[in-house]
Amino acid sequence: MKKIGIIGAMEIEVETLKSHMEIKRTVEKASMVFEEGVLNGVDVVVVRSGVGKVNAGICVQILADLFDVTHIINTGVAGSLDAAINIGDIVVSTDVMYHDVDATIFGYDLGEVPQLGVKSFVADQSMVKKTMEALQITAKEECAGYEGRVLSGDQFVASDDVKTRLVNQFKGSCTEMEGCAIAHASYLNHIPFVIIRAISDKADHSAEVDYPSFEKKAAGISAKLVEYLITTI
Ligand code: ADE
């Protein structure tokens, strides 16, 4: 039986999903509140992980150990790294990389975690395909959807220089602060995953102004997509 773990870093990214679901069990662990129940007829566990890679990794491990989830979806917002991808648009992960990992001195690629055997974490292809199809139904009028590489690091990117470096070094489509840790922990636990991010800002000098203005709307677009997507997985 499928049971889908849905992670948002912030309450604003999961509040609608929680309000729409029938909650059957609430479990508190590692300062996170896991809501287990039924959303749109599908067994789910919805949780706010908190911001950053450590929170995100711990959250996945709990979803694996305590809830036996079969799939993991990360919903949330991100900064765009591609001029064609605008505020309100959606990026669906093809693969996910850390932009703040550097063991190049030992011959690893930039972003590659040593001794793991993978250079990036590849999202589940079927989940990616279904997300792109779901987008046509829930958000076609509102925004454009792009498949692309998601970059993560413990850094809110809000400078032209950093953005340029990330684009040149990693060829990412968007940047955020949890996706790669979720992907990494899902990979270690053999759980298929997809990262879905709506764009709240351009990850450059304009991000400081744009992010607070568009955070809520972008978070809502991604959550609405997820609510439909889970019925098709
Ligand atoms: N989440 C939303 N926008 C972001 C940005 N510019 N950098 C990191 N995380 C983000």
Side-chain angles (χ1 to χ4, degrees):
M1 252 289 267
K2 80 177 173 188
K3 191 199 284 186
I4 303 178
I6 304 174
I7 303 171
M10 299 176 294
E11 197 58 33
I12 203 171
E13 293 167 324
V14 287
E15 64 191 6
T16 321
L17 298 171
K18 282 188 191 171
S19 72
H20 290 180
M21 70 186 279
E22 183 199 338
I23 295 170
K24 298 199 162 159
R25 184 165 75 116
T26 300
V27 177
E28 225 184 304
K29 184 93 184 159
S31 303
M32 299 170 198
V33 179
F34 295 79
E35 304 285 15
E36 184 171 27
V38 179
L39 177 63
N40 242 349
V42 179
D43 288 341
V44 294
V45 183
V46 179
V47 55
R48 175 187 57 82
S49 63
V51 173
K53 296 185 301 181
V54 170
N55 283 324
I58 289 172
C59 187
V60 169
Q61 196 57 53
I62 294 169
L63 285 171
D65 289 347
L66 262 55
F67 296 94
D68 276 322
V69 296
T70 55
H71 301 76
I72 287 185
I73 298 173
N74 173 218
T75 175
V77 298
S80 174
L81 295 175
D82 182 333
I85 307 179
N86 288 311
I87 289 173
D89 287 345
I90 295 248
V91 174
V92 181
S93 62
T94 47
D95 65 341
V96 198
M97 286 188 81
Y98 295 116
H99 68 68
D100 58 358
V101 168
D102 185 349
T104 51
I105 187 95
F106 300 115
Y108 294 102
D109 283 0
L110 197 62
E112 183 181 356
V113 176
Q115 303 184 357
L116 202 59
V118 294
K119 294 187 188 296
S120 76
F121 299 96
V122 178
D124 181 73
Q125 279 183 18
S126 160
M127 291 173 81
V128 172
K129 184 166 171 277
K130 283 175 175 159
T131 309
M132 294 306 288
E133 288 166 0
L135 230 153
Q136 291 303 310
I137 289 164
T138 65
K140 197 179 172 186
E141 311 300 323
E142 267 172 297
C143 66
Y146 297 87
E147 290 182 40
R149 172 171 289 166
V150 175
L151 303 183
S152 309
D154 284 322
Q155 184 179 11
F156 188 91
V157 179
S159 107
D160 296 18
D161 289 352
V162 177
K163 176 176 177 171
T164 302
R165 183 177 63 78
L166 297 191
V167 172
N168 292 339
Q169 289 179 330
F170 298 100
K171 315 261 174 291
S173 296
C174 70
T175 186
E176 37 79 307
M177 300 176 72
E178 297 82 23
C180 196
I182 289 170
H184 186 167
S186 298
Y187 169 81
L188 294 177
N189 286 281
H190 311 290
I191 302 171
F193 74 89
V194 67
I195 312 297
I196 302 169
R197 295 281 179 156
I199 300 302
S200 56
D201 58 85
K202 296 290 190 84
D204 58 14
H205 64 278
S206 63
E208 193 181 343
V209 171
D210 284 346
Y211 181 81
S213 315
F214 296 109
E215 180 197 38
K216 192 175 169 62
K217 183 157 189 263
I221 292 171
S222 184
K224 187 172 150 198
L225 170 61
V226 168
E227 196 162 337
Y228 176 75
L229 168 65
I230 56 170
T231 65
T232 73
I233 284 172

